[in-house]
């Protein structure tokens, strides 16, 4: 289906007849009370200051100006937040500028990671400003998007007008999700299907991504459409050089759409971090990253925090942490409070020692309430016995993983009805 679309390939730009004009207009309708929309900016030359209105009603102008101010305030707020974050990062950098170069395969160039690489926020992606300056030539091509419904606030209203958008929709891209993100709508409307979109889709298919995943990938990382093919290929080659198989790379990209957004330097740094921090082999590092590829995408701070929690707050030993993480990589990214809560219940209420929790680490990834109500039910029945050296031992594994009916029959020797009645008393 995707390929059939690509072969059609009409130029979206000429259909739209406007780039910046339409885009800017769309951008502001979000702030607009639709009943008061009177004018549409007809020409935008060098940004918003020279907007000319077809109908120059003061009220409308005033509103427009108001929207502009509102937007500026937002931008300013955004910028100042960024500044604060940078400062925070600088603080961190004093203690945490560490280079983790990945020893999976020796690399020659050992470049220290920069702070922006370490703490990047995935959702705070590149912003193509709808207000950016345009050339006179471009300005001359701008015309009023007369056929576009004036009260529109949704990208969906452009689908019929834009070849790129309609094809993305056919691919399964969720415009509804994309348009929640700042400037993504305008970025998409600037893209040409033939030159920007089709080659990226072909590339993804060539590296083994299934057609059915393309929509998901672009919905989550539309910026892949603006990245150069050369960069994308270099990153795939890097992963292959680290002995990730063709199938593994395809599966990682399919599940972590931001993976190919990151430079080789950063990917290498991430792999090195996990291998050195956990003190595990190259193949175990590959294994955990292949199963949870977003470990290579997100910030390392929460991971460091979770490792600290496991070691200092929960009191696991190095080899136990290694075992836990290799079995359940998700422990690295799980919510710290949930991790602590379930550990506390297992260890302090159920009296399960560390080494047994480490032996069945999946239990750390189970819902707290599920463990709690099952344990309390067993305790009520006098069957809460978790010591493998004593008779009638109940393993954490079966406690956590059995479905309700098997739990009742096999572990509690009770009926499902009894269990449900008991839950109501909690
Ligand atoms: C501006 O408004 C006039 C009538 O008020 C109309 O004839 C004309 O087509 C409009 N121009 C544009 C570019 O919308
Ligand atoms: C992803 O890549 C695009 C294109 O190079 C870039 O504009 C954007 O900032 C990147 N996003 C992140 C989160 O790195
Ligand atoms: C890493 O593990 C090895 C054993 O596999 C151990 O000898 C060494 O001390 C560990 N290194 C660190 C930094 O914990």
């Amino acid at each position: 289906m995707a390929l059939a679309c690509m072969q059609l390939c009409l130029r979206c730009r000429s259909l739209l007849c406007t780039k910046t004009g339409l885009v800017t207009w769309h951008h502001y309708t979000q702030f607009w009370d639709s009943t008061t929309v009177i004018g549409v900016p007809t020409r935008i030359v060098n940004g918003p200051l020279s907007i000319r209105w077809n109908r120059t009603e003061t009220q409308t102008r005033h509103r427009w100006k108001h929207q502009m101010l509102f937007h500026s305030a937002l931008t300013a707020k955004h910028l100042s937040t960024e500044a604060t974050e940078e400062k925070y990062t600088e603080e961190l950098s004093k203690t945490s500028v560490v280079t983790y170069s990945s020893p999976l395969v020796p690399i020659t160039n050992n470049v220290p990671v920069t702070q922006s690489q370490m703490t990047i926020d995935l959702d705070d992606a590149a912003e193509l400003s709808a207000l950016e300056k345009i050339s006179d030539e471009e300005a001359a091509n701008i015309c009023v998007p007369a056929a576009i419904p004036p009260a529109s606030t949704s990208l969906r209203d452009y689908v019929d007008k834009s070849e790129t958008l309609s094809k993305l929709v056919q691919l399964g891209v969720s415009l509804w999700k994309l348009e929640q993100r700042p400037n993504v709508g305008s970025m998409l409307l600037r893209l040409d299907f033939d030159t920007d979109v089709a080659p990226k889709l072909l590339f993804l298919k060539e590296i083994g991504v299934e057609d059915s995943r393309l929509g998901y990938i672009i919905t989550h990382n539309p910026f892949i459409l603006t990245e150069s093919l050369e960069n994308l290929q270099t990153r795939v080659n890097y992963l292959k050089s680290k002995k990730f198989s063709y199938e593994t790379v395809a599966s990682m990209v399919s599940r972590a759409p931001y993976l190919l957004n990151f430079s080789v330097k950063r990917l290498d740094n991430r792999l090195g971090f996990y291998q050195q921090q956990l003190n595990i082999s190259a193949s175990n590092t590959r294994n955990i990253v292949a199963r949870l590829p977003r470990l290579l995408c997100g910030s390392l701070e929460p991971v460091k925090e979770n490792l600290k929690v496991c070691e200092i707050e929960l009191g696991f030993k190095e080899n136990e942490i290694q075992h836990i993480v290799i079995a359940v990589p998700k422990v690295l990214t799980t919510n710290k409070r949930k991790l602590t809560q379930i550990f506390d219940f297992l260890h302090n209420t159920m009296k399960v020692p560390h080494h047994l929790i480490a032996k069945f680490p999946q239990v750390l990834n189970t819902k707290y309430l599920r463990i709690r109500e099952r344990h309390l039910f067993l305790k009520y029945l006098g069957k809460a016995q978790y010591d493998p050296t004593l008779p009638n031992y109940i393993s954490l594994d079966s406690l956590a993983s059995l479905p309700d009916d098997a739990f009742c029959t096999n572990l509690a020797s009770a009926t499902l009805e009894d269990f449900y009645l008991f839950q109501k008393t909690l």
Side-chain angles (χ1 to χ4, degrees):
M1 177 200 78
L3 285 181
C5 299
M6 277 184 248
Q7 277 146 16
L8 288 172
C9 293
L10 292 172
R11 286 183 60 88
C12 110
R13 203 165 282 167
S14 56
L15 272 173
L16 271 174
C17 94
T18 168
K19 262 163 81 189
T20 318
L22 170 57
V23 161
T24 310
W25 174 79
H26 163 70
H27 190 74
Y28 289 101
T29 50
Q30 289 168 10
F31 307 120
W32 220 297
D33 173 356
S34 59
T35 58
T36 61
V37 173
I38 306 173
V40 173
T42 56
R43 248 173 88 93
I44 301 175
V45 181
N46 289 335
L49 294 181
S50 51
I51 287 162
R52 279 196 254 135
W53 295 90
N54 194 26
R55 290 176 60 182
T56 54
E57 282 184 36
T58 334
Q59 197 197 8
T60 315
R61 283 190 131 181
H62 178 74
R63 278 181 185 281
W64 173 258
K65 206 168 152 198
H66 181 74
Q67 310 307 335
M68 297 305 301
L69 288 174
F70 179 51
H71 177 74
S72 304
L74 275 183
T75 313
K77 200 170 145 218
H78 179 70
L79 287 177
S80 70
T81 318
E82 260 182 6
T84 324
E85 272 163 13
E86 248 161 48
K87 227 162 137 196
Y88 172 65
T89 321
E90 251 166 44
E91 288 298 314
L92 276 177
S93 74
K94 285 178 195 146
T95 50
S96 64
V97 180
V98 189
T99 306
Y100 308 99
S101 94
S102 160
L104 296 191
V105 168
I107 56 158
T108 45
N109 213 357
N110 199 349
V111 199
V113 69
T114 70
Q115 287 309 302
S116 63
Q117 285 170 323
M118 291 186 66
T119 55
I120 197 148
D121 175 354
L122 293 186
D123 282 325
D124 200 0
E127 299 189 5
L128 292 171
S129 171
L131 302 178
E132 78 186 13
K133 291 193 176 186
I134 56 171
S135 69
D136 286 344
E137 193 199 337
E138 276 178 300
N141 288 331
I142 289 170
C143 64
V144 186
I148 308 267
S152 152
T153 57
S154 164
L155 269 183
R156 229 167 312 168
D157 298 320
Y158 300 116
V159 169
D160 292 342
K161 318 280 179 316
S162 157
E163 204 65 24
T164 302
L165 282 192
S166 68
K167 283 173 180 165
L168 288 177
V169 168
Q170 287 175 52
L171 272 179
V173 172
S174 163
L175 295 184
W176 177 81
K177 277 194 186 144
L178 281 177
E179 71 191 3
Q180 319 270 316
R181 299 164 57 175
N183 296 319
V184 165
S186 57
M187 186 271 278
L188 289 179
L189 286 167
R190 284 161 194 261
L191 295 177
D192 178 81
F193 192 82
D194 281 355
T195 57
D196 302 319
V197 180
K200 310 298 159 41
L201 298 179
L202 282 172
F203 171 83
L204 289 171
K205 284 172 67 69
E206 266 163 30
I207 66 165
V209 171
E210 301 278 340
D211 281 8
S212 60
R213 294 307 282 179
L214 295 175
Y216 174 86
I217 294 175
I218 292 164
T219 301
H220 289 85
N221 181 14
F223 300 101
I224 206 164
L225 301 175
T226 62
E227 190 59 87
S228 82
L229 279 178
E230 222 179 323
N231 281 345
L232 295 175
Q233 187 64 60
T234 308
R235 292 162 196 175
V236 168
N237 292 346
Y238 167 78
L239 291 172
K240 293 203 173 135
S241 79
K242 295 289 177 182
K243 302 206 195 127
F244 288 94
S245 70
Y246 175 88
E247 288 78 15
T248 306
V249 171
S251 145
M252 288 165 75
V253 170
S254 302
R255 286 175 297 132
Y258 265 99
L259 187 63
L260 293 183
N261 220 71
F262 298 113
S263 70
V264 165
K265 207 192 318 180
R266 186 179 145 126
L267 290 173
D268 190 67
N269 195 275
R270 290 294 147 104
L271 285 174
F273 169 82
Y274 290 110
Q275 184 167 359
Q276 286 170 30
Q277 199 77 8
L278 296 164
N279 195 15
I280 54 178
S281 68
S283 89
N284 277 329
T285 307
R286 256 196 308 277
N287 183 285
I288 63 168
V289 165
R291 281 153 63 214
L292 195 63
R294 65 186 156 83
L295 288 177
L296 294 180
C297 304
S299 165
L300 289 181
E301 295 310 321
V303 173
K304 290 179 186 169
E305 189 72 29
N306 277 17
L307 284 173
K308 244 189 263 163
V309 167
C310 285
E311 189 192 332
I312 298 163
E313 278 183 47
L314 311 187
F316 285 108
K317 296 192 212 113
E318 183 189 282
N319 64 334
E320 290 169 337
I321 295 176
Q322 288 166 342
H323 185 81
I324 290 171
V325 171
I326 291 167
V328 189
K330 216 180 138 198
V331 165
L332 291 173
T333 55
T334 200
N335 177 291
K336 188 171 98 178
R337 192 187 51 78
K338 282 189 186 154
L339 189 62
T340 314
Q341 184 188 40
I342 197 148
F343 173 86
D344 181 53
F345 192 79
L346 291 165
H347 189 65
N348 298 323
T349 305
M350 292 168 64
K351 307 289 177 205
V352 182
H354 284 88
H355 74 270
L356 272 186
I357 299 177
K359 196 170 165 202
F360 301 109
Q362 285 80 3
V363 78
L364 294 173
N365 194 28
T366 314
K367 279 206 184 84
Y368 165 74
L369 285 180
R370 181 184 176 101
I371 297 292
R372 181 171 178 271
E373 64 199 16
R374 286 184 177 198
H375 165 71
L376 293 177
F377 188 51
L378 290 174
K379 192 168 171 236
Y380 169 77
L381 298 171
K383 291 173 186 287
Q385 203 295 88
Y386 309 111
D387 182 347
T389 63
L390 298 176
N392 302 318
Y393 157 66
I394 287 175
S395 80
L396 289 184
D397 188 33
S398 42
L399 180 78
S401 64
L402 287 179
D404 276 353
D405 51 352
F407 162 73
C408 290
T409 328
N410 304 352
L411 303 186
S413 311
T415 65
L416 207 52
E417 287 72 32
D418 289 343
F419 184 42
Y420 291 155
L421 278 176
F422 177 79
Q423 283 175 30
K424 285 186 188 143
T425 68
L426 293 181

